[in-house]
Amino acid sequence: MLLPAWEMCLYGLLAVGSHLYAFYEAHQVSQKYEAAMDRRFGLEPGTLFRGLKKDPMDFEWSYWIEWGRERILWLLAGHLLVSQVSRLLVEKYKPWCLMVYGMAACWLLLGIKGFAVILLHATISFAVAQFQLSLLTWLCSLILLSTLRIPAVEEAKRKWYDTENEYYLLLFTVSVRCLFCTSFSLEYCWHGPAQKSSHSFLWMLAYVFYYPTFHNGPLMNFDEFSKQMRRQEAFSLKTNLSMLIVGIIRIFFWWCLAELMIHLMYIHALYSSAPPLETASYWALGGLALAQVLFFYVKYLVLYGVPALLLQMDGLKPPALPCCVSLMHSFTKMWRSFDVGLHRFLVRYIYVPMGGSQSSLLGTLFSTALTFAFVSYWHGGQSYLWYWGALNWLGVIVENGVKRILSISLIQDLIESFFSPRIRRRLHAVLASVSTSMLILSNLIFLGGNHIGKIYWNRIFLEGWPWATLTVLGFLYCYSHVGIEWEHTYAVN
């Protein structure tokens, strides 16, 4: 530990204490507007926590929990059964057993037309990959992705289903499948003729229809998937059973925590109504912001935790689960350690092929811009997503620019001669606090839209200057110290 123990304890206490008090204020403002939120949005009666009402306004959480309860969890249980039996009896044919099961589950849930759409996407991607031109593959992927946003095509697909929820399931599934098809096709382009047998159409289907990652990810690049799926390991039913029990307990805890948060704080209902945010205290405003980003984190521990557990049960190594957002102190770290699978995809297939950090300054700017442009478009391409992408691009560029300047030997020597290691750590936390404030703002735009970002910018940085702004940066300074120390201690990459 670089800083004195008492100093780090002080930062830790201030970080934890400010979180708790901000949550208390967010709870108080939720209670104050409970009747108004109930009339406008229809708060649901609490089932897990009786006596409390539940905020139902987070579409993603309500949507996947409903689907999971009705059908998806049962289909995942079926996948687990097929996987364990095939590992026990026919390990060599496990990929094909799981492929057939995934195709059957897709047919059952999305119908023959939904199944045909995904099979058509895979077939077109594979056919275009035969030309072995990365640019053509990307063009094909973008065209297929763009078909999801053609109004006439959307209307036609809606008519296939009785409910809007069923149509959205197809939409979300095809969006994720587009990334899997792109990964396979690019790997096919990059491998020589001798390796084509491991990149056959059958392997593409095994990858695309692998059920645990089918509807919502997490993303796993094809080469990682195929290498691990081919690897035959010793199978222990006892070890797998204990892994399953521990995993279920962990996921159940995360689910309870997420449910508790939306019972105690009506985050999403309040974010859908501007007046409460414009009149709430700064503590309540901060508490709602923290609750919003932390709920998003816990939500993805559940949504990625379930498929990650099944990947482990299948003998695969899933991408690491999201890192706690309260420990994030830079844009770069956020992208590396929140959605690890998506980050690996973006780096391997866009950032590095376009030159990445090894190219000139203009090349780095362009490759980074292209990466964020794609991720903004893939998420939906709405105006607020372009603002979110632009803020993240700017954040990453500024952070890397500062890092490059500080790595110049002359500047390094000057810093080391004038500042002790402890002072350098504190200055690092000062810069990190500014970066974290912009990171939180960009995430609020992603989760709540442009109007939410505008409210926070006006209240914290314009109307609140200097005291509210400096107070927020002061607490973020404490969070940054905790995050930096955590990173150094556990060497999280």
Side-chain angles (χ1 to χ4, degrees):
M1 190 184 293
L2 185 60
L3 297 177
W6 68 265
E7 189 177 344
M8 282 309 305
C9 285
L10 178 63
Y11 295 141
L13 285 170
L14 285 170
V16 173
S18 61
H19 270 72
L20 294 176
Y21 185 69
F23 290 154
Y24 168 75
E25 287 288 331
H27 172 67
Q28 290 295 100
V29 81
S30 298
Q31 293 302 302
K32 179 181 176 182
Y33 290 100
E34 182 179 299
M37 296 297 106
D38 197 9
R39 283 194 302 271
R40 185 170 178 187
F41 303 113
L43 300 177
E44 295 177 357
T47 49
L48 188 64
F49 303 98
R50 297 194 180 277
L52 296 172
K53 289 187 176 180
K54 175 183 170 180
D55 178 2
M57 292 300 291
D58 185 86
F59 171 78
E60 191 176 33
W61 179 251
S62 302
Y63 182 85
W64 288 118
I65 293 299
E66 184 183 340
W67 268 108
R69 194 182 290 123
E70 288 181 4
R71 284 173 142 188
I72 290 177
L73 279 178
W74 300 106
L75 289 172
L76 288 172
H79 169 94
L80 180 62
L81 182 63
V82 171
S83 165
Q84 299 310 293
V85 170
S86 61
R87 286 190 76 186
L88 193 62
L89 303 177
V90 284
E91 175 79 17
K92 185 179 177 182
Y93 300 102
K94 181 183 73 173
W96 320 124
C97 294
L98 297 181
M99 178 193 74
V100 171
Y101 180 85
M103 294 172 91
C106 171
W107 192 316
L108 180 68
L109 212 54
L110 298 175
I112 187 170
K113 291 178 179 177
F115 170 78
V117 166
I118 293 168
L119 188 60
L120 183 63
H121 273 243
T123 305
I124 292 170
S125 296
F126 185 78
V128 172
Q130 302 309 301
F131 293 99
Q132 293 189 273
L133 296 169
S134 298
L135 188 60
L136 192 60
T137 292
W138 263 116
L139 187 62
C140 171
S141 298
L142 290 171
I143 290 170
L144 289 174
L145 193 59
S146 70
T147 61
L148 302 179
R149 298 174 178 85
I150 299 172
V153 176
E154 286 182 303
E155 283 308 309
K157 288 177 182 174
R158 274 189 168 92
K159 290 175 184 175
W160 299 349
Y161 301 104
D162 297 327
T163 66
E164 196 79 352
N165 272 2
E166 290 175 297
Y167 163 70
Y168 278 125
L169 185 64
L170 175 66
L171 181 66
F172 296 149
T173 304
V174 175
S175 296
V176 175
R177 292 307 93 200
C178 279
L179 298 186
F180 279 70
C181 289
T182 304
S183 174
F184 176 90
S185 300
L186 288 171
E187 295 294 346
Y188 186 94
C189 292
W190 295 345
H191 285 79
Q195 296 169 303
K196 287 295 182 260
S197 60
S198 60
H199 292 72
S200 65
F201 185 60
L202 207 58
W203 266 106
M204 184 183 197
L205 294 181
Y207 175 57
V208 169
F209 285 98
Y210 181 67
Y211 196 67
T213 62
F214 190 66
H215 298 294
N216 195 42
L219 189 55
M220 194 176 186
N221 294 341
F222 175 73
D223 262 23
E224 296 172 27
F225 174 84
S226 63
K227 283 173 189 171
Q228 293 179 35
M229 190 62 84
R230 288 169 189 278
R231 190 176 60 222
Q232 296 187 15
E233 294 180 334
F235 176 74
S236 168
L237 194 61
K238 185 179 176 182
T239 303
N240 269 21
L241 188 60
S242 62
M243 186 193 301
L244 180 65
I245 292 167
V246 171
I248 289 172
I249 291 169
R250 187 186 292 124
I251 292 164
F252 180 70
F253 170 75
W254 292 332
W255 175 73
C256 288
L257 183 58
E259 285 289 319
L260 180 63
M261 289 180 77
I262 54 176
H263 278 77
L264 292 176
M265 294 173 284
Y266 306 140
I267 317 158
H268 308 96
L270 288 166
Y271 269 40
S272 301
S273 181
L277 295 178
E278 289 168 349
T279 57
S281 69
Y282 288 116
W283 274 107
L285 205 62
L288 289 168
L290 285 172
Q292 175 80 307
V293 294
L294 282 167
F295 178 79
F296 186 70
Y297 159 65
V298 177
K299 174 171 69 177
Y300 268 88
L301 286 180
V302 177
L303 296 182
Y304 280 179
V306 173
L309 175 60
L310 290 172
L311 280 158
Q312 287 179 304
M313 297 291 290
D314 291 348
L316 308 180
K317 185 182 178 184
L321 290 177
C323 183
C324 179
V325 290
S326 290
L327 298 173
M328 302 293 181
H329 51 86
S330 71
F331 283 90
T332 309
K333 180 170 171 57
M334 179 74 179
W335 278 97
R336 281 181 181 166
S337 55
F338 191 83
D339 193 334
V340 175
L342 179 60
H343 176 260
R344 287 175 182 166
F345 177 93
L346 295 171
V347 169
R348 181 167 176 80
Y349 301 122
I350 304 176
Y351 184 68
V352 170
M354 294 308 298
S357 58
Q358 302 305 311
S359 61
S360 64
L361 178 60
L362 281 176
T364 303
L365 290 172
F366 177 70
S367 55
T368 311
L370 207 60
T371 303
F372 283 113
F374 173 77
V375 82
S376 300
Y377 180 70
W378 178 73
H379 273 96
Q382 292 90 342
S383 63
Y384 74 92
L385 289 169
W386 293 112
Y387 281 110
W388 166 72
L391 268 175
N392 277 272
W393 173 77
L394 190 61
V396 168
I397 288 299
V398 169
E399 285 176 1
N400 287 334
V402 170
K403 206 174 286 183
R404 281 191 178 191
I405 291 167
L406 295 178
S407 65
I408 297 169
S409 55
L410 177 63
I411 293 175
Q412 263 188 338
D413 293 341
L414 285 171
I415 290 171
E416 286 173 9
S417 60
F418 282 103
F419 302 112
S420 68
R422 288 182 175 181
I423 296 294
R424 293 202 297 272
R425 168 64 69 84
R426 293 180 186 116
L427 290 173
H428 180 188
V430 169
L431 293 175
S433 68
V434 177
S435 185
T436 306
S437 68
M438 293 298 103
L439 176 62
I440 293 172
L441 183 67
S442 76
N443 286 334
L444 291 175
I445 291 171
F446 176 71
L447 298 170
N450 288 334
H451 66 290
I452 296 296
K454 190 175 179 181
I455 288 170
Y456 272 85
W457 176 261
N458 287 338
R459 292 212 56 198
I460 302 294
F461 296 99
L462 298 181
E463 296 169 17
W465 177 263
W467 303 117
T469 311
L470 294 177
T471 302
V472 167
L473 291 174
F475 281 114
L476 293 178
Y477 172 78
C478 298
Y479 301 172
S480 298
H481 269 296
V482 175
I484 293 166
E485 190 60 41
W486 181 277
E487 186 177 15
H488 284 187
T489 303
Y490 293 98
V492 178
N493 189 348

